[in-house]
Amino acid sequence: MVTDWFTGDGEDFRLLGTRCSACASVFFPREDGHCRNPACAGGELEEVPLSRRGRVWSYTDSRYRPPSPYVSDPELPWEPYALIAVELESERIVVLGQAIPGITVADLTVGMEVEVVPGVLSEDAETTWTTWHWRPTGVTA
């Protein structure tokens, strides 16, 4: 799990960003040092939960095992997955993430509504690494 990037479970699951008190710019991944807006003199950065829903801005699939430093077991077969860039409903920022397992690029269209849900990035006998996934609204799996 990436610390402080998301919180909650089920319907309460949210990505966490930060908002500048001076210019109201919202950042994800979160920014804790300074406002990234070059036109802003800077303000306090406040943690904010981001919209649960957004619309597919773009998408692609990952059909090959990425090179190092990406960590994966070369002994296991590579499982392709869909990557989705989502424009969040309220913040109007684009956040990249994997689609839920079972959703392929054939299931996606630009403009489709999706929602953020908890997901598993990887796991072994001792640890489960959690992340976020995008799920088309109306899909229950």
Side-chain angles (χ1 to χ4, degrees), residues 90-109:
S90 296
E91 297 81 5
R92 309 289 298 197
I93 61 174
V94 176
V95 176
L96 185 66
Q98 291 183 23
I100 62 169
I103 296 294
T104 69
V105 293
D107 302 312
L108 301 170
T109 59

Side-chain angles (χ1 to χ4, degrees), residues 75-94:
E75 300 299 316
L76 296 175
W78 178 252
E79 295 290 330
Y81 56 86
L83 287 169
I84 309 175
V86 175
E87 184 176 34
L88 296 182
E89 197 168 68
S90 296
E91 297 81 5
R92 309 289 298 197
I93 61 174
V94 176

